């Protein structure tokens, strides 16, 4: 199964952007969906996560209040609405699904989509 992310691009500071990610084939037993990002020279960090069957969400402190993660369970699609973007948000954004039994979750990753915010 491959995750296909889209929606990245070049925007100016203060603008908004929405990312989306969906699997290439049907997935089962998805536990949660998330977005991570990695800027050059930095480690990959969790941006936001949402549970598949509930509405539990978790955000990095740096994006809380500006970014919103959401999902469409019928399409197994996860979105990341990014508002009030800052140059520091520039990074490659990766979607991540965790699936399987809760005691043995497997990670699936998208190919990454570049987000660049100019000042």
């Amino acid at each position: 199964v491959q995750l296909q992310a889209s929606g990245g691009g070049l925007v100016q500071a203060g603008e908004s952007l929405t990312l989306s990610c969906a699997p290439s084939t049907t997935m089962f037993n998805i536990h949660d969906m998330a977005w991570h990002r990695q800027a050059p020279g930095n480690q990959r960090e969790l941006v936001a996560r949402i549970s598949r069957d509930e509405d539990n969400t978790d955000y990095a402190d740096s994006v809380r209040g500006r970014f919103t993660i959401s999902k469409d369970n019928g399409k197994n699609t996860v979105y990341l609405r990014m508002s009030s973007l800052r140059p520091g948000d520039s990074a490659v954004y990766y979607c991540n699904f965790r699936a399987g039994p809760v005691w043995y979750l497997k990670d699936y990753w998208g190919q990454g989509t570049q987000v660049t915010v100019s000042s």
Side-chain angles (χ1 to χ4, degrees), residues 29-33 50-54 71 73-74 76:
N29 297 327
I30 297 173
H31 182 267
D32 54 52
M33 298 171 277
I50 187 166
S51 58
R52 167 66 170 76
D53 294 331
E54 299 168 349
K71 59 183 176 169
N73 285 344
N76 276 343

Side-chain angles (χ1 to χ4, degrees), residues 5 12-13 17 21 27 33 36 63 72 80 96 101 114:
Q12 294 187 332
L17 207 58
C21 176
M27 284 189 71
M33 298 171 277
H36 300 247
V63 307
D72 182 332
L80 185 68
N96 164 237
Q114 177 71 48

Side-chain angles (χ1 to χ4, degrees), residues 14-30:
E15 294 184 338
S16 299
L17 207 58
T18 298
L19 308 180
S20 63
C21 176
S24 57
T25 61
T26 302
M27 284 189 71
F28 300 96
N29 297 327
I30 297 173

Side-chain angles (χ1 to χ4, degrees), residues 36-48:
H36 300 247
R37 68 185 180 186
Q38 186 168 19
N42 292 349
Q43 290 187 335
R44 190 173 297 189
E45 62 173 350
L46 175 66
V47 175

Side-chain angles (χ1 to χ4, degrees), residues 69-84:
I69 190 169
S70 61
K71 59 183 176 169
D72 182 332
N73 285 344
K75 298 179 181 179
N76 276 343
T77 299
V78 64
Y79 306 93
L80 185 68
R81 175 67 174 174
M82 305 182 291
S83 301
S84 302

